């Protein structure tokens, strides 16, 4: 097994929490280097990694096979394009790009240069969403009538990361948390026919959106995607109603929390929710009402990286394709237009 020599384009929260720990403990990968303009934080934690001072220096390293573009959203297109043109495989942090045409260009470039391109929509491997997907796929709810996804926080203050508070393409909560639950909805239900949205700015002195309510219209059901920075008391993250009953599930994946605590993601209990977070399934079966607790799936972001290894070494399909991630951007752009025009947007 030949490990994939991998480089990160930054070592902020994304690199330090969501990428480096998985690359470091997975023998299929080698954390070869990290781009840091002036500091050497990665070398403090991983003494054997190289430090690059520019993207050009990173791309000139012939040992690097895979580059993770985990820089601020507005730079994703520029950085990823340079990586592809250098002939290296690329993982791009969500959101893929700021606008759809940039995503399409990168997809076409990757195909032309025979490199793998994938977008890190890791929340597909959250324990809570995996549980919801499992139940929905069994058909036990009957035909889906309505679904509501929430990704909320209580964070009324402005971010310390200034680039997140400067109005520009690719910035705002709809690109941040919205990317996650939009991807989950599309992964579960496919592309809708129409979109309607309310997007707003509620925090004092904020210049970027921090609230959204997106409605996705499907031929036989509706999906609501909501997020606010003013939710102090958690509410169910997933509420799904069907012709045979309902499913309710909390947002309870523990992976981010454990990664923030520097817990290594290779233990046998990794990603296992506490029993208190079981979902509730309430259905009518043969005229009889049944209400039961649902055991949670195990969360596992490592599955994403295992899929990347297969895609690169065995020319397999990447775990999140460029087209799938581009559809997320398409929904975001439609939602923004809908909110501005106060009308439903046909896709």
């Amino acid at each position: 097994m030949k490990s994939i020599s991998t480089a990160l384009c930054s070592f902020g929260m994304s690199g330090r929490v969501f990428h480096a720990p998985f690359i470091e403990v997975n023998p299929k990968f080698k954390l070869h280097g990290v781009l840091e303009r002036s500091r050497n934080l990665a070398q403090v934690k991983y003494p054997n990694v190289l430090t690059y001072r520019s993207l050009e220096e990173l791309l000139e390293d012939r040992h690097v096979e895979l580059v993770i573009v985990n820089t601020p959203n507005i730079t994703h297109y520029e950085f990823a394009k340079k990586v592809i043109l250098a002939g290296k495989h690329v993982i791009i942090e969500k959101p893929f790009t700021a606008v759809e045409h940039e995503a399409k260009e990168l997809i076409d470039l990757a195909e032309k240069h025979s490199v793998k391109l994938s977008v890190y929509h890791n929340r597909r491997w959250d324990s809570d969403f995996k549980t919801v997907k499992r139940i929905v796929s069994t058909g036990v709810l009957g035909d889906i009538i309505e679904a509501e996804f929430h990704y909320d926080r209580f964070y009324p203050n402005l971010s310390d990361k200034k680039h997140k508070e400067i109005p520009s393409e690719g910035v705002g909560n709809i690109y941040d948390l919205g990317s996650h639950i939009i991807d989950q909805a599309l992964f579960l239900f496919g592309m809708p026919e129409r979109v309607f949205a309310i997007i707003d700015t509620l925090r004092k002195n904020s210049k970027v959106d921090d609230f959204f309510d997106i409605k996705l219209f499907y031929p036989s059901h509706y999906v609501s995607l909501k997020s606010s920075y003013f939710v102090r008391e958690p509410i169910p993250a997933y509420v799904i109603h069907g012709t045979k009953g309902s499913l309710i599930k909390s947002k309870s994946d523990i992976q981010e929390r454990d990664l923030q605590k520097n817990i290594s993601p290779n233990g046998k209990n990794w990603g296992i929710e506490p029993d208190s977070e079981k979902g509730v399934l309430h259905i009518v079966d043969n005229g009889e009402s049944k209400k039961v607790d649902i055991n949670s799936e195990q969360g596992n972001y490592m599955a994403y990286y295992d899929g990347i290894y297969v895609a690169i070494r065995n020319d397999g399909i990447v775990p999140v394709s460029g087209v799938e991630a581009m559809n997320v951007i398409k929904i975001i752009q439609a939602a923004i237009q809908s909110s501005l025009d106060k009308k439903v947007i046909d896709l």
Side-chain angles (χ1 to χ4, degrees), residues 199-323:
I199 304 172
D200 208 344
T201 300
L202 303 180
R203 293 171 302 159
K204 185 179 180 180
N205 298 322
S206 177
K207 296 180 181 180
V208 302
D209 69 89
D210 47 41
F211 170 91
F212 64 77
D213 185 350
I214 303 171
K215 308 296 184 184
L216 305 181
F217 297 76
Y218 290 85
S220 59
H221 66 281
Y222 301 97
V223 176
S224 297
L225 308 174
K226 297 183 178 182
S227 179
S228 171
Y229 285 0
F230 287 94
V231 179
R232 187 66 186 92
E233 184 65 25
I235 59 178
Y238 304 94
V239 178
I240 303 179
H241 304 298
T243 55
K244 294 183 179 180
S246 302
L247 171 67
I248 296 176
K249 181 70 182 77
S250 61
K251 183 164 189 59
S252 45
D253 185 89
I254 64 172
Q255 292 180 90
E256 180 176 351
R257 183 197 70 187
D258 284 352
L259 289 165
Q260 292 277 25
K261 294 179 179 178
N262 293 317
I263 297 174
S264 180
N266 61 350
K268 65 178 182 179
N269 293 323
W270 177 258
I272 296 178
E273 296 182 358
D275 287 341
S276 60
E277 299 296 342
K278 289 181 178 180
V280 174
L281 177 66
H282 193 173
I283 61 171
V284 175
D285 185 21
N286 293 323
E288 182 182 354
S289 178
K290 295 181 178 180
K291 186 176 181 180
V292 296
D293 292 337
I294 298 298
N295 291 326
S296 298
E297 293 288 305
Q298 184 172 4
N300 185 16
Y301 298 156
M302 189 69 83
Y304 175 87
Y305 271 103
D306 288 339
I308 289 294
Y309 182 86
V310 171
I312 292 176
R313 287 288 180 254
N314 301 335
D315 195 26
I317 298 173
V318 294
V320 181
S321 72
V323 171

Side-chain angles (χ1 to χ4, degrees), residues 10-18 36 39 41 70 161:
S10 72
F11 202 66
M13 177 180 173
S14 171
R16 177 178 53 82
V17 174
F18 288 109
E36 294 189 76
R39 297 185 289 182
L41 298 179
N70 58 324
K161 299 177 181 178

Side-chain angles (χ1 to χ4, degrees), residues 73-342:
N73 298 353
I74 197 64
T75 67
H76 287 184
Y77 165 75
E78 174 192 355
F79 274 52
K81 185 174 182 178
K82 290 180 178 179
V83 172
I84 293 168
L85 292 176
K88 300 181 187 297
H89 305 294
V90 61
I91 293 172
I92 306 166
E93 255 292 355
K94 65 82 198 166
F96 185 1
T97 55
V99 291
E100 184 182 358
H101 71 83
E102 292 177 344
K104 181 64 166 62
E105 182 182 346
L106 293 179
I107 292 168
D108 292 342
L109 273 178
E111 183 176 356
K112 178 180 178 181
H113 290 269
S114 299
V115 299
K116 298 293 183 179
L117 178 154
S118 181
V119 179
Y120 191 64
H121 278 295
N122 60 309
R123 298 297 177 177
R124 292 187 186 185
W125 289 271
D126 277 356
S127 54
D128 39 50
F129 178 69
K130 287 177 66 181
T131 304
V132 169
K133 188 174 186 300
R134 185 192 80 214
I135 298 300
V136 170
S137 65
T138 65
V140 70
L141 293 172
D143 297 329
I144 303 301
I145 301 299
E146 180 186 5
E148 185 169 312
F149 293 3
H150 278 259
Y151 198 162
D152 300 312
R153 288 178 175 167
F154 186 75
Y155 200 84
N157 299 320
L158 301 186
S159 174
D160 294 332
K161 299 177 181 178
K162 293 184 179 180
H163 66 269
K164 287 193 171 186
E165 299 293 349
I166 299 174
S168 60
E169 288 184 329
V171 174
N173 190 31
I174 193 168
Y175 280 95
D176 185 14
L177 303 184
S179 291
H180 288 308
I181 55 177
I182 292 171
D183 177 69
Q184 289 180 343
L186 300 190
F187 190 52
L188 195 58
F189 299 116
M191 284 291 284
E193 295 179 337
R194 298 182 301 280
V195 176
F196 178 75
I198 299 171
I199 304 172
D200 208 344
T201 300
L202 303 180
R203 293 171 302 159
K204 185 179 180 180
N205 298 322
S206 177
K207 296 180 181 180
V208 302
D209 69 89
D210 47 41
F211 170 91
F212 64 77
D213 185 350
I214 303 171
K215 308 296 184 184
L216 305 181
F217 297 76
Y218 290 85
S220 59
H221 66 281
Y222 301 97
V223 176
S224 297
L225 308 174
K226 297 183 178 182
S227 179
S228 171
Y229 285 0
F230 287 94
V231 179
R232 187 66 186 92
E233 184 65 25
I235 59 178
Y238 304 94
V239 178
I240 303 179
H241 304 298
T243 55
K244 294 183 179 180
S246 302
L247 171 67
I248 296 176
K249 181 70 182 77
S250 61
K251 183 164 189 59
S252 45
D253 185 89
I254 64 172
Q255 292 180 90
E256 180 176 351
R257 183 197 70 187
D258 284 352
L259 289 165
Q260 292 277 25
K261 294 179 179 178
N262 293 317
I263 297 174
S264 180
N266 61 350
K268 65 178 182 179
N269 293 323
W270 177 258
I272 296 178
E273 296 182 358
D275 287 341
S276 60
E277 299 296 342
K278 289 181 178 180
V280 174
L281 177 66
H282 193 173
I283 61 171
V284 175
D285 185 21
N286 293 323
E288 182 182 354
S289 178
K290 295 181 178 180
K291 186 176 181 180
V292 296
D293 292 337
I294 298 298
N295 291 326
S296 298
E297 293 288 305
Q298 184 172 4
N300 185 16
Y301 298 156
M302 189 69 83
Y304 175 87
Y305 271 103
D306 288 339
I308 289 294
Y309 182 86
V310 171
I312 292 176
R313 287 288 180 254
N314 301 335
D315 195 26
I317 298 173
V318 294
V320 181
S321 72
V323 171
E324 290 175 304
M326 180 175 66
N327 284 337
V328 173
I329 304 304
K330 186 174 183 177
I331 296 295
I332 289 174
Q333 288 192 276
I336 292 172
Q337 193 62 51
S338 172
S339 185
L340 289 172
D341 296 346
K342 297 180 173 57

